[in-house]
Amino acid sequence: MAVSFSPIRPLIQTGSNASSRWFSYIGLGIGVLLLLCSIQMYVNIQQLLGEKEMQKGGFEFIPISKVITNETMGNLEKNLFDQEDISELKSQPFVEDAAPLLANNFKFQLSGGSLIPFMTDFFIESLDNAFIDTVPPSFTWSEGQLTVPVIISSEFLELYNIFAPGYGLPQISEETAYRIQLTFTCYGNDGSRESFRAHVVAFSDRVNSILAPKTFLDWANQRFSPGMELRPSRVYVKVKDANDPEFLKYLEAKNYRVNKDKTQFGRRKMVLQGIFAGLGIFGLMVVVLALMLFSFYLQLMIARSRDSLQLLLALGYSPRWLGNNVSKRFIPIYFGVVLGALAVTQLMQYAFHHFVMYDRSELDTPVHWTVIATAVLLIVISLLTNFRLVRKLLSQLEP
Amino acid sequence: MTIQLQQVLPEYFEKSRSERSEVWGKDLQFNKGEYIKIVAPSGSGKSSLMHFLYGLRKEYNGHIIIGGKNTKQCGAEEFATLRKDVLSIVFQDLRLFPEQTVRQNIELKRQLNPFHPPEKIDEMAERLGIKNKLESRSRICSYGEQQRVAIIRALMQPFDFLLLDEPFSHLDDNNSQKAMDLMLEEAKARHAAIIFADLERIDWFPYNRLFHL
């Protein structure tokens, strides 16, 4: 049916309430702009702060402990982890694995060799090998072996080298440290006592402790403190992203303490993402409001043109054809408004990348594809609601 | 193509109306090519019947079947098709777009499903004596002129049934006769039926069947 709409156009009154129409266009434009900018900023944050763990690749290992408060002080039940806690941790989707850091459950003394003559009460811990960054093949122990290999936190060596001069002790290099003969002395609850030679086989940047092979500590705990239940105060978790907001929320909910430095990005990211999610929701609300305003305008337009439209229907014009043609007039406007907002978003992204972020390589100057997809979706939604509304209003006109 | 009326009675008429009427509450069939005259005094439901047939109102009991289809089950789109291809009407209240010119009013109907080329508008306007009004806004035309515009408009499309609801109420006999001749010619060209409802018998309508409403 090659029916022309042009003789019908003057029958539909639009002009007299142009201001309300323009208000709704401007409102729609602002809402769409807010929404698109929020999505782009959300993506920017993701790219800027998500970059850190991507550079490292693989997983992050983070020690967590329970927060000790005045109420839980001295209450080991509450401050130590049990098997259930660890299983629950392991079952979380953002946790790849978890392993307890087990400590000695008996009195333990450490003494240096002739090079560094000192003796001190100390602690020793063990951790699943898979969680240690540097595990040489020699890091094994079996019963009867008199020498115990240990892995020491590289920070300990640094600390030692800081205070050694003050005490008249020699500063030592890593190479020398490997050669130092240490002595472990273990005291049993029954008064027994046994000494082992020990030497450093590796330094760890990850684990802040003195680590002995698990086999040694399990044996020693059994030997010197039989029957005592062993519960860790620290648990190492292996995660893909230490800044994952879900992970941080979980830690907070469980009252677990974690090194803030490792997760500060995540915390900042959470706040920023929260702000932009809020802005995005606000933008969406403005879009909805603008569409509502526009629907009022459409209703008014159709009410004003009621007589003409009714007569056209009575003459035999199809309500679908009329509805489509009335709606079609607004297609360029919707396209214009949304594409305009998209262009401004692109401009803002360019300015943000170029002038605020000084062309950092993590960010892209073109807007993210999700922004374009949202713009397309908004056009489709506005057109669909528009078409449906006009058709519904026209069907109500039918006598 | 036929129109069947099965026990049609307006909801707002009492049952007894069907006893006196030859249309209300009866089973009737109108066929293509017939000239049907319905004589009806004021208030007997003449316009109601026309509106029921044309699908503008549905407040009646019984059924109207057009081309085998019960019109009570027709949606807006189906009625639009009927009004474009099968039914044409001259309303009693004319129903023109007041701000459009006479030509625009007629063209609005013609372009929907053209039976005639645009030049036919001039030719018919000439025959009915309103050629000089073609470019005038319809609201400034007299009732008689408007009535002739409504008649020409109704003849622009193909139809099987031409519904006339007091089409000459504002015309003198001479102009009425000219208009009737034109309508008869056009109906003949389509082998269409005319259903003509008026207050009284009109001599220049050569009806085959006469009903009192």
Side-chain angles (χ1 to χ4, degrees), chain A residues 3-4 7-8 11 308 311-320 399, chain B residues 54 56 76-77 80 83-84 91 95-97 100 108-109 111-112 153 157:
Chain A
V3 183
S4 162
I8 292 163
L11 301 174
S308 300
L311 182 49
L312 285 169
L313 292 173
L315 288 181
Y317 279 87
S318 139
R320 183 175 300 141
Chain B
Y54 199 62
L56 292 183
E77 288 298 328
R83 289 170 198 158
K84 183 166 68 71
F91 291 110
R95 301 200 185 187
L96 302 178
F97 293 102
Q100 307 303 107
L108 270 170
K109 181 70 173 173
Q111 70 150 359
L112 195 54
R153 182 176 68 180
Q157 66 168 86

PDB file of all heavy atoms in Angstrom, chain A residues 3-4 7-8 11 308 311-320 399, chain B residues 54 56 76-77 80 83-84 91 95-97 100 108-109 111-112 153 157:
ATOM      1  N   VAL A   3       0.556   4.268   0.427  1.00  0.00           N
ATOM      2  CA  VAL A   3      -0.208   5.404   0.933  1.00  0.00           C
ATOM      3  C   VAL A   3       0.765   6.421   1.499  1.00  0.00           C
ATOM      4  O   VAL A   3       1.699   6.070   2.208  1.00  0.00           O
ATOM      5  CB  VAL A   3      -1.205   4.951   2.014  1.00  0.00           C
ATOM      6  CG1 VAL A   3      -2.040   6.119   2.485  1.00  0.00           C
ATOM      7  CG2 VAL A   3      -2.100   3.858   1.479  1.00  0.00           C
ATOM      8  N   SER A   4       0.532   7.665   1.164  1.00  0.00           N
ATOM      9  CA  SER A   4       1.461   8.694   1.623  1.00  0.00           C
ATOM     10  C   SER A   4       1.001   9.262   2.962  1.00  0.00           C
ATOM     11  O   SER A   4      -0.193   9.482   3.187  1.00  0.00           O
ATOM     12  CB  SER A   4       1.530   9.792   0.571  1.00  0.00           C
ATOM     13  OG  SER A   4       2.059  10.953   1.145  1.00  0.00           O
ATOM     14  N   PRO A   7      -0.113  13.903   3.427  1.00  0.00           N
ATOM     15  CA  PRO A   7      -1.364  14.655   3.613  1.00  0.00           C
ATOM     16  C   PRO A   7      -1.945  14.490   5.019  1.00  0.00           C
ATOM     17  O   PRO A   7      -2.822  15.270   5.417  1.00  0.00           O
ATOM     18  CB  PRO A   7      -2.301  14.057   2.559  1.00  0.00           C
ATOM     19  CG  PRO A   7      -1.735  12.752   2.192  1.00  0.00           C
ATOM     20  CD  PRO A   7      -0.267  12.835   2.414  1.00  0.00           C
ATOM     21  N   ILE A   8      -1.450  13.496   5.752  1.00  0.00           N
ATOM     22  CA  ILE A   8      -2.001  13.228   7.085  1.00  0.00           C
ATOM     23  C   ILE A   8      -1.258  14.029   8.153  1.00  0.00           C
ATOM     24  O   ILE A   8      -1.823  14.403   9.174  1.00  0.00           O
ATOM     25  CB  ILE A   8      -1.920  11.710   7.365  1.00  0.00           C
ATOM     26  CG1 ILE A   8      -2.895  11.010   6.427  1.00  0.00           C
ATOM     27  CG2 ILE A   8      -2.250  11.371   8.813  1.00  0.00           C
ATOM     28  CD1 ILE A   8      -2.670   9.556   6.292  1.00  0.00           C
ATOM     29  N   LEU A  11      -2.729  16.884   9.970  1.00  0.00           N
ATOM     30  CA  LEU A  11      -3.921  16.580  10.779  1.00  0.00           C
ATOM     31  C   LEU A  11      -3.538  16.256  12.217  1.00  0.00           C
ATOM     32  O   LEU A  11      -4.382  16.214  13.101  1.00  0.00           O
ATOM     33  CB  LEU A  11      -4.670  15.380  10.186  1.00  0.00           C
ATOM     34  CG  LEU A  11      -5.144  15.551   8.747  1.00  0.00           C
ATOM     35  CD1 LEU A  11      -5.743  14.258   8.230  1.00  0.00           C
ATOM     36  CD2 LEU A  11      -6.172  16.664   8.692  1.00  0.00           C
ATOM     37  N   SER A 308      -9.322  13.961  14.315  1.00  0.00           N
ATOM     38  CA  SER A 308      -8.734  13.645  13.008  1.00  0.00           C
ATOM     39  C   SER A 308      -8.392  12.172  12.918  1.00  0.00           C
ATOM     40  O   SER A 308      -8.665  11.516  11.907  1.00  0.00           O
ATOM     41  CB  SER A 308      -7.463  14.456  12.795  1.00  0.00           C
ATOM     42  OG  SER A 308      -7.753  15.818  12.841  1.00  0.00           O
ATOM     43  N   LEU A 311     -11.423  10.015  12.532  1.00  0.00           N
ATOM     44  CA  LEU A 311     -11.993  10.088  11.191  1.00  0.00           C
ATOM     45  C   LEU A 311     -11.133   9.297  10.205  1.00  0.00           C
ATOM     46  O   LEU A 311     -11.664   8.597   9.338  1.00  0.00           O
ATOM     47  CB  LEU A 311     -12.130  11.556  10.758  1.00  0.00           C
ATOM     48  CG  LEU A 311     -12.762  11.794   9.388  1.00  0.00           C
ATOM     49  CD1 LEU A 311     -14.067  11.013   9.221  1.00  0.00           C
ATOM     50  CD2 LEU A 311     -13.039  13.274   9.165  1.00  0.00           C
ATOM     51  N   LEU A 312      -9.805   9.375  10.369  1.00  0.00           N
ATOM     52  CA  LEU A 312      -8.920   8.602   9.484  1.00  0.00           C
ATOM     53  C   LEU A 312      -9.203   7.108   9.631  1.00  0.00           C
ATOM     54  O   LEU A 312      -9.258   6.378   8.643  1.00  0.00           O
ATOM     55  CB  LEU A 312      -7.456   8.894   9.812  1.00  0.00           C
ATOM     56  CG  LEU A 312      -6.934  10.258   9.335  1.00  0.00           C
ATOM     57  CD1 LEU A 312      -5.570  10.541   9.940  1.00  0.00           C
ATOM     58  CD2 LEU A 312      -6.860  10.316   7.819  1.00  0.00           C
ATOM     59  N   LEU A 313      -9.394   6.678  10.875  1.00  0.00           N
ATOM     60  CA  LEU A 313      -9.700   5.262  11.111  1.00  0.00           C
ATOM     61  C   LEU A 313     -11.047   4.926  10.474  1.00  0.00           C
ATOM     62  O   LEU A 313     -11.218   3.868   9.861  1.00  0.00           O
ATOM     63  CB  LEU A 313      -9.729   4.951  12.608  1.00  0.00           C
ATOM     64  CG  LEU A 313      -8.375   5.042  13.325  1.00  0.00           C
ATOM     65  CD1 LEU A 313      -8.549   4.876  14.830  1.00  0.00           C
ATOM     66  CD2 LEU A 313      -7.415   3.987  12.803  1.00  0.00           C
ATOM     67  N   ALA A 314     -12.007   5.857  10.598  1.00  0.00           N
ATOM     68  CA  ALA A 314     -13.332   5.609  10.025  1.00  0.00           C
ATOM     69  C   ALA A 314     -13.268   5.544   8.498  1.00  0.00           C
ATOM     70  O   ALA A 314     -14.038   4.830   7.873  1.00  0.00           O
ATOM     71  CB  ALA A 314     -14.301   6.705  10.470  1.00  0.00           C
ATOM     72  N   LEU A 315     -12.319   6.272   7.909  1.00  0.00           N
ATOM     73  CA  LEU A 315     -12.195   6.247   6.450  1.00  0.00           C
ATOM     74  C   LEU A 315     -11.543   4.965   5.967  1.00  0.00           C
ATOM     75  O   LEU A 315     -11.576   4.672   4.777  1.00  0.00           O
ATOM     76  CB  LEU A 315     -11.368   7.439   5.965  1.00  0.00           C
ATOM     77  CG  LEU A 315     -12.041   8.811   6.057  1.00  0.00           C
ATOM     78  CD1 LEU A 315     -11.106   9.884   5.517  1.00  0.00           C
ATOM     79  CD2 LEU A 315     -13.352   8.839   5.293  1.00  0.00           C
ATOM     80  N   GLY A 316     -10.942   4.225   6.880  1.00  0.00           N
ATOM     81  CA  GLY A 316     -10.344   2.958   6.479  1.00  0.00           C
ATOM     82  C   GLY A 316      -8.829   2.904   6.629  1.00  0.00           C
ATOM     83  O   GLY A 316      -8.191   1.969   6.153  1.00  0.00           O
ATOM     84  N   TYR A 317      -8.233   3.911   7.270  1.00  0.00           N
ATOM     85  CA  TYR A 317      -6.790   3.840   7.516  1.00  0.00           C
ATOM     86  C   TYR A 317      -6.522   2.792   8.593  1.00  0.00           C
ATOM     87  O   TYR A 317      -7.256   2.713   9.578  1.00  0.00           O
ATOM     88  CB  TYR A 317      -6.246   5.207   7.941  1.00  0.00           C
ATOM     89  CG  TYR A 317      -6.011   6.121   6.758  1.00  0.00           C
ATOM     90  CD1 TYR A 317      -7.027   6.923   6.269  1.00  0.00           C
ATOM     91  CD2 TYR A 317      -4.772   6.142   6.123  1.00  0.00           C
ATOM     92  CE1 TYR A 317      -6.822   7.737   5.161  1.00  0.00           C
ATOM     93  CE2 TYR A 317      -4.559   6.953   5.015  1.00  0.00           C
ATOM     94  CZ  TYR A 317      -5.587   7.752   4.536  1.00  0.00           C
ATOM     95  OH  TYR A 317      -5.376   8.544   3.439  1.00  0.00           O
ATOM     96  N   SER A 318      -5.479   2.000   8.353  1.00  0.00           N
ATOM     97  CA  SER A 318      -5.172   0.934   9.309  1.00  0.00           C
ATOM     98  C   SER A 318      -4.534   1.536  10.568  1.00  0.00           C
ATOM     99  O   SER A 318      -3.640   2.377  10.458  1.00  0.00           O
ATOM    100  CB  SER A 318      -4.214  -0.057   8.649  1.00  0.00           C
ATOM    101  OG  SER A 318      -3.233  -0.478   9.539  1.00  0.00           O
ATOM    102  N   PRO A 319      -5.007   1.128  11.747  1.00  0.00           N
ATOM    103  CA  PRO A 319      -4.415   1.672  12.979  1.00  0.00           C
ATOM    104  C   PRO A 319      -2.921   1.363  13.064  1.00  0.00           C
ATOM    105  O   PRO A 319      -2.152   2.176  13.555  1.00  0.00           O
ATOM    106  CB  PRO A 319      -5.166   0.964  14.107  1.00  0.00           C
ATOM    107  CG  PRO A 319      -6.237   0.157  13.483  1.00  0.00           C
ATOM    108  CD  PRO A 319      -6.089   0.199  12.003  1.00  0.00           C
ATOM    109  N   ARG A 320      -2.523   0.203  12.532  1.00  0.00           N
ATOM    110  CA  ARG A 320      -1.097  -0.154  12.599  1.00  0.00           C
ATOM    111  C   ARG A 320      -0.283   0.784  11.710  1.00  0.00           C
ATOM    112  O   ARG A 320       0.751   1.297  12.124  1.00  0.00           O
ATOM    113  CB  ARG A 320      -0.902  -1.607  12.150  1.00  0.00           C
ATOM    114  CG  ARG A 320       0.545  -2.059  12.268  1.00  0.00           C
ATOM    115  CD  ARG A 320       0.711  -3.522  11.946  1.00  0.00           C
ATOM    116  NE  ARG A 320      -0.076  -4.350  12.843  1.00  0.00           N
ATOM    117  CZ  ARG A 320      -0.736  -5.447  12.461  1.00  0.00           C
ATOM    118  NH1 ARG A 320      -0.698  -5.841  11.215  1.00  0.00           N
ATOM    119  NH2 ARG A 320      -1.421  -6.146  13.344  1.00  0.00           N
ATOM    120  N   PRO A 399     -13.791   3.390  17.782  1.00  0.00           N
ATOM    121  CA  PRO A 399     -15.105   3.485  18.415  1.00  0.00           C
ATOM    122  C   PRO A 399     -15.660   2.119  18.845  1.00  0.00           C
ATOM    123  O   PRO A 399     -15.331   1.134  18.256  1.00  0.00           O
ATOM    124  CB  PRO A 399     -15.980   4.108  17.346  1.00  0.00           C
ATOM    125  CG  PRO A 399     -15.261   3.944  16.069  1.00  0.00           C
ATOM    126  CD  PRO A 399     -13.821   3.809  16.370  1.00  0.00           C
TER     127      PRO A 399
ATOM    128  N   TYR B  54     -21.047  -0.611   9.215  1.00  0.00           N
ATOM    129  CA  TYR B  54     -19.729  -0.064   8.916  1.00  0.00           C
ATOM    130  C   TYR B  54     -18.712  -0.365  10.041  1.00  0.00           C
ATOM    131  O   TYR B  54     -17.536  -0.040   9.940  1.00  0.00           O
ATOM    132  CB  TYR B  54     -19.863   1.450   8.699  1.00  0.00           C
ATOM    133  CG  TYR B  54     -18.712   2.076   7.970  1.00  0.00           C
ATOM    134  CD1 TYR B  54     -18.398   1.695   6.664  1.00  0.00           C
ATOM    135  CD2 TYR B  54     -17.930   3.062   8.567  1.00  0.00           C
ATOM    136  CE1 TYR B  54     -17.333   2.267   5.985  1.00  0.00           C
ATOM    137  CE2 TYR B  54     -16.862   3.647   7.895  1.00  0.00           C
ATOM    138  CZ  TYR B  54     -16.568   3.241   6.598  1.00  0.00           C
ATOM    139  OH  TYR B  54     -15.518   3.812   5.929  1.00  0.00           O
ATOM    140  N   LEU B  56     -18.608   0.867  13.124  1.00  0.00           N
ATOM    141  CA  LEU B  56     -18.223   1.949  14.035  1.00  0.00           C
ATOM    142  C   LEU B  56     -18.760   1.702  15.441  1.00  0.00           C
ATOM    143  O   LEU B  56     -18.207   2.183  16.419  1.00  0.00           O
ATOM    144  CB  LEU B  56     -18.754   3.294  13.528  1.00  0.00           C
ATOM    145  CG  LEU B  56     -18.125   3.818  12.244  1.00  0.00           C
ATOM    146  CD1 LEU B  56     -18.702   5.194  11.894  1.00  0.00           C
ATOM    147  CD2 LEU B  56     -16.612   3.931  12.383  1.00  0.00           C
ATOM    148  N   ALA B  76      -9.699  -4.125  14.685  1.00  0.00           N
ATOM    149  CA  ALA B  76      -9.581  -2.813  14.043  1.00  0.00           C
ATOM    150  C   ALA B  76      -8.922  -2.941  12.670  1.00  0.00           C
ATOM    151  O   ALA B  76      -9.321  -2.248  11.722  1.00  0.00           O
ATOM    152  CB  ALA B  76      -8.772  -1.883  14.932  1.00  0.00           C
ATOM    153  N   GLU B  77      -7.926  -3.804  12.555  1.00  0.00           N
ATOM    154  CA  GLU B  77      -7.219  -3.944  11.278  1.00  0.00           C
ATOM    155  C   GLU B  77      -8.138  -4.526  10.206  1.00  0.00           C
ATOM    156  O   GLU B  77      -8.129  -4.093   9.055  1.00  0.00           O
ATOM    157  CB  GLU B  77      -5.994  -4.851  11.437  1.00  0.00           C
ATOM    158  CG  GLU B  77      -4.847  -4.229  12.222  1.00  0.00           C
ATOM    159  CD  GLU B  77      -4.281  -2.979  11.575  1.00  0.00           C
ATOM    160  OE1 GLU B  77      -4.283  -2.897  10.335  1.00  0.00           O
ATOM    161  OE2 GLU B  77      -3.870  -2.072  12.317  1.00  0.00           O
ATOM    162  N   ALA B  80     -10.461  -1.973   9.057  1.00  0.00           N
ATOM    163  CA  ALA B  80      -9.771  -1.017   8.189  1.00  0.00           C
ATOM    164  C   ALA B  80      -9.738  -1.566   6.758  1.00  0.00           C
ATOM    165  O   ALA B  80      -9.974  -0.830   5.793  1.00  0.00           O
ATOM    166  CB  ALA B  80      -8.360  -0.774   8.709  1.00  0.00           C
ATOM    167  N   ARG B  83     -13.209  -1.349   5.175  1.00  0.00           N
ATOM    168  CA  ARG B  83     -13.565   0.033   4.807  1.00  0.00           C
ATOM    169  C   ARG B  83     -12.761   0.518   3.615  1.00  0.00           C
ATOM    170  O   ARG B  83     -13.132   1.487   2.959  1.00  0.00           O
ATOM    171  CB  ARG B  83     -13.321   0.965   5.999  1.00  0.00           C
ATOM    172  CG  ARG B  83     -14.319   0.739   7.108  1.00  0.00           C
ATOM    173  CD  ARG B  83     -13.905   1.480   8.349  1.00  0.00           C
ATOM    174  NE  ARG B  83     -14.603   0.957   9.524  1.00  0.00           N
ATOM    175  CZ  ARG B  83     -14.170   1.106  10.749  1.00  0.00           C
ATOM    176  NH1 ARG B  83     -13.038   1.739  10.980  1.00  0.00           N
ATOM    177  NH2 ARG B  83     -14.852   0.607  11.760  1.00  0.00           N
ATOM    178  N   LYS B  84     -11.665  -0.128   3.359  1.00  0.00           N
ATOM    179  CA  LYS B  84     -10.797   0.271   2.258  1.00  0.00           C
ATOM    180  C   LYS B  84     -11.225  -0.427   0.960  1.00  0.00           C
ATOM    181  O   LYS B  84     -11.131   0.150  -0.114  1.00  0.00           O
ATOM    182  CB  LYS B  84      -9.369  -0.133   2.638  1.00  0.00           C
ATOM    183  CG  LYS B  84      -8.285   0.244   1.668  1.00  0.00           C
ATOM    184  CD  LYS B  84      -6.926   0.076   2.343  1.00  0.00           C
ATOM    185  CE  LYS B  84      -6.582  -1.383   2.643  1.00  0.00           C
ATOM    186  NZ  LYS B  84      -6.280  -2.168   1.448  1.00  0.00           N
ATOM    187  N   PHE B  91     -21.648   9.532   5.362  1.00  0.00           N
ATOM    188  CA  PHE B  91     -22.212   9.721   6.694  1.00  0.00           C
ATOM    189  C   PHE B  91     -23.289  10.796   6.672  1.00  0.00           C
ATOM    190  O   PHE B  91     -23.191  11.770   5.903  1.00  0.00           O
ATOM    191  CB  PHE B  91     -21.118  10.179   7.672  1.00  0.00           C
ATOM    192  CG  PHE B  91     -20.087   9.128   7.983  1.00  0.00           C
ATOM    193  CD1 PHE B  91     -18.787   9.245   7.505  1.00  0.00           C
ATOM    194  CD2 PHE B  91     -20.407   8.031   8.775  1.00  0.00           C
ATOM    195  CE1 PHE B  91     -17.835   8.298   7.797  1.00  0.00           C
ATOM    196  CE2 PHE B  91     -19.449   7.079   9.082  1.00  0.00           C
ATOM    197  CZ  PHE B  91     -18.157   7.209   8.593  1.00  0.00           C
ATOM    198  N   ARG B  95     -18.725  14.342   8.140  1.00  0.00           N
ATOM    199  CA  ARG B  95     -17.383  14.001   8.651  1.00  0.00           C
ATOM    200  C   ARG B  95     -16.267  14.358   7.680  1.00  0.00           C
ATOM    201  O   ARG B  95     -15.587  13.503   7.130  1.00  0.00           O
ATOM    202  CB  ARG B  95     -17.297  12.523   9.015  1.00  0.00           C
ATOM    203  CG  ARG B  95     -18.313  12.128  10.071  1.00  0.00           C
ATOM    204  CD  ARG B  95     -17.936  10.858  10.759  1.00  0.00           C
ATOM    205  NE  ARG B  95     -19.002  10.467  11.670  1.00  0.00           N
ATOM    206  CZ  ARG B  95     -18.920   9.468  12.525  1.00  0.00           C
ATOM    207  NH1 ARG B  95     -17.829   8.751  12.592  1.00  0.00           N
ATOM    208  NH2 ARG B  95     -19.924   9.185  13.317  1.00  0.00           N
ATOM    209  N   LEU B  96     -16.052  15.639   7.508  1.00  0.00           N
ATOM    210  CA  LEU B  96     -14.914  16.104   6.706  1.00  0.00           C
ATOM    211  C   LEU B  96     -13.867  16.695   7.649  1.00  0.00           C
ATOM    212  O   LEU B  96     -14.169  17.029   8.791  1.00  0.00           O
ATOM    213  CB  LEU B  96     -15.369  17.174   5.711  1.00  0.00           C
ATOM    214  CG  LEU B  96     -16.467  16.772   4.730  1.00  0.00           C
ATOM    215  CD1 LEU B  96     -16.828  17.973   3.844  1.00  0.00           C
ATOM    216  CD2 LEU B  96     -16.042  15.605   3.855  1.00  0.00           C
ATOM    217  N   PHE B  97     -12.642  16.802   7.142  1.00  0.00           N
ATOM    218  CA  PHE B  97     -11.607  17.497   7.922  1.00  0.00           C
ATOM    219  C   PHE B  97     -11.790  18.983   7.664  1.00  0.00           C
ATOM    220  O   PHE B  97     -11.558  19.457   6.534  1.00  0.00           O
ATOM    221  CB  PHE B  97     -10.209  17.063   7.471  1.00  0.00           C
ATOM    222  CG  PHE B  97      -9.898  15.631   7.793  1.00  0.00           C
ATOM    223  CD1 PHE B  97      -9.958  14.650   6.809  1.00  0.00           C
ATOM    224  CD2 PHE B  97      -9.548  15.267   9.084  1.00  0.00           C
ATOM    225  CE1 PHE B  97      -9.670  13.334   7.108  1.00  0.00           C
ATOM    226  CE2 PHE B  97      -9.263  13.939   9.387  1.00  0.00           C
ATOM    227  CZ  PHE B  97      -9.328  12.970   8.402  1.00  0.00           C
ATOM    228  N   GLN B 100      -8.912  21.107   6.070  1.00  0.00           N
ATOM    229  CA  GLN B 100      -8.341  20.673   4.798  1.00  0.00           C
ATOM    230  C   GLN B 100      -9.207  21.193   3.654  1.00  0.00           C
ATOM    231  O   GLN B 100     -10.404  21.435   3.833  1.00  0.00           O
ATOM    232  CB  GLN B 100      -8.272  19.149   4.720  1.00  0.00           C
ATOM    233  CG  GLN B 100      -7.570  18.487   5.890  1.00  0.00           C
ATOM    234  CD  GLN B 100      -6.156  18.970   6.092  1.00  0.00           C
ATOM    235  OE1 GLN B 100      -5.888  19.704   7.028  1.00  0.00           O
ATOM    236  NE2 GLN B 100      -5.267  18.591   5.189  1.00  0.00           N
ATOM    237  N   LEU B 108      -7.527  12.244   0.506  1.00  0.00           N
ATOM    238  CA  LEU B 108      -7.206  11.396   1.665  1.00  0.00           C
ATOM    239  C   LEU B 108      -7.862  10.024   1.542  1.00  0.00           C
ATOM    240  O   LEU B 108      -7.315   9.010   1.975  1.00  0.00           O
ATOM    241  CB  LEU B 108      -7.680  12.067   2.962  1.00  0.00           C
ATOM    242  CG  LEU B 108      -6.664  12.977   3.637  1.00  0.00           C
ATOM    243  CD1 LEU B 108      -7.307  13.766   4.763  1.00  0.00           C
ATOM    244  CD2 LEU B 108      -5.472  12.186   4.158  1.00  0.00           C
ATOM    245  N   LYS B 109      -9.042  10.004   0.964  1.00  0.00           N
ATOM    246  CA  LYS B 109      -9.718   8.720   0.775  1.00  0.00           C
ATOM    247  C   LYS B 109      -9.194   8.025  -0.487  1.00  0.00           C
ATOM    248  O   LYS B 109      -8.963   6.819  -0.480  1.00  0.00           O
ATOM    249  CB  LYS B 109     -11.231   8.972   0.640  1.00  0.00           C
ATOM    250  CG  LYS B 109     -12.072   7.719   0.464  1.00  0.00           C
ATOM    251  CD  LYS B 109     -12.096   6.904   1.728  1.00  0.00           C
ATOM    252  CE  LYS B 109     -13.069   5.743   1.626  1.00  0.00           C
ATOM    253  NZ  LYS B 109     -12.972   4.859   2.770  1.00  0.00           N
ATOM    254  N   GLN B 111      -6.259   8.107  -2.004  1.00  0.00           N
ATOM    255  CA  GLN B 111      -4.911   7.533  -1.971  1.00  0.00           C
ATOM    256  C   GLN B 111      -4.859   6.216  -1.195  1.00  0.00           C
ATOM    257  O   GLN B 111      -3.947   5.425  -1.363  1.00  0.00           O
ATOM    258  CB  GLN B 111      -3.924   8.529  -1.344  1.00  0.00           C
ATOM    259  CG  GLN B 111      -4.130   8.730   0.152  1.00  0.00           C
ATOM    260  CD  GLN B 111      -2.809   9.072   0.868  1.00  0.00           C
ATOM    261  OE1 GLN B 111      -1.765   9.134   0.263  1.00  0.00           O
ATOM    262  NE2 GLN B 111      -2.893   9.283   2.169  1.00  0.00           N
ATOM    263  N   LEU B 112      -5.885   5.995  -0.379  1.00  0.00           N
ATOM    264  CA  LEU B 112      -5.873   4.792   0.451  1.00  0.00           C
ATOM    265  C   LEU B 112      -5.983   3.535  -0.411  1.00  0.00           C
ATOM    266  O   LEU B 112      -5.298   2.536  -0.146  1.00  0.00           O
ATOM    267  CB  LEU B 112      -7.054   4.885   1.436  1.00  0.00           C
ATOM    268  CG  LEU B 112      -7.082   3.957   2.620  1.00  0.00           C
ATOM    269  CD1 LEU B 112      -5.793   4.057   3.426  1.00  0.00           C
ATOM    270  CD2 LEU B 112      -8.270   4.294   3.520  1.00  0.00           C
ATOM    271  N   ARG B 153     -16.136  11.761  -2.153  1.00  0.00           N
ATOM    272  CA  ARG B 153     -15.128  11.040  -1.377  1.00  0.00           C
ATOM    273  C   ARG B 153     -15.455   9.547  -1.318  1.00  0.00           C
ATOM    274  O   ARG B 153     -14.581   8.689  -1.463  1.00  0.00           O
ATOM    275  CB  ARG B 153     -15.044  11.629   0.039  1.00  0.00           C
ATOM    276  CG  ARG B 153     -13.984  10.959   0.894  1.00  0.00           C
ATOM    277  CD  ARG B 153     -13.841  11.616   2.246  1.00  0.00           C
ATOM    278  NE  ARG B 153     -15.035  11.393   3.073  1.00  0.00           N
ATOM    279  CZ  ARG B 153     -15.179  11.858   4.300  1.00  0.00           C
ATOM    280  NH1 ARG B 153     -14.215  12.607   4.841  1.00  0.00           N
ATOM    281  NH2 ARG B 153     -16.274  11.623   5.001  1.00  0.00           N
ATOM    282  N   GLN B 157     -13.040   4.966  -3.940  1.00  0.00           N
ATOM    283  CA  GLN B 157     -12.435   3.671  -3.629  1.00  0.00           C
ATOM    284  C   GLN B 157     -13.233   2.536  -4.263  1.00  0.00           C
ATOM    285  O   GLN B 157     -14.369   2.746  -4.678  1.00  0.00           O
ATOM    286  CB  GLN B 157     -12.428   3.478  -2.103  1.00  0.00           C
ATOM    287  CG  GLN B 157     -13.861   3.372  -1.536  1.00  0.00           C
ATOM    288  CD  GLN B 157     -13.878   2.893  -0.105  1.00  0.00           C
ATOM    289  OE1 GLN B 157     -13.756   3.681   0.801  1.00  0.00           O
ATOM    290  NE2 GLN B 157     -14.040   1.584   0.084  1.00  0.00           N
TER     291      GLN B 157
END
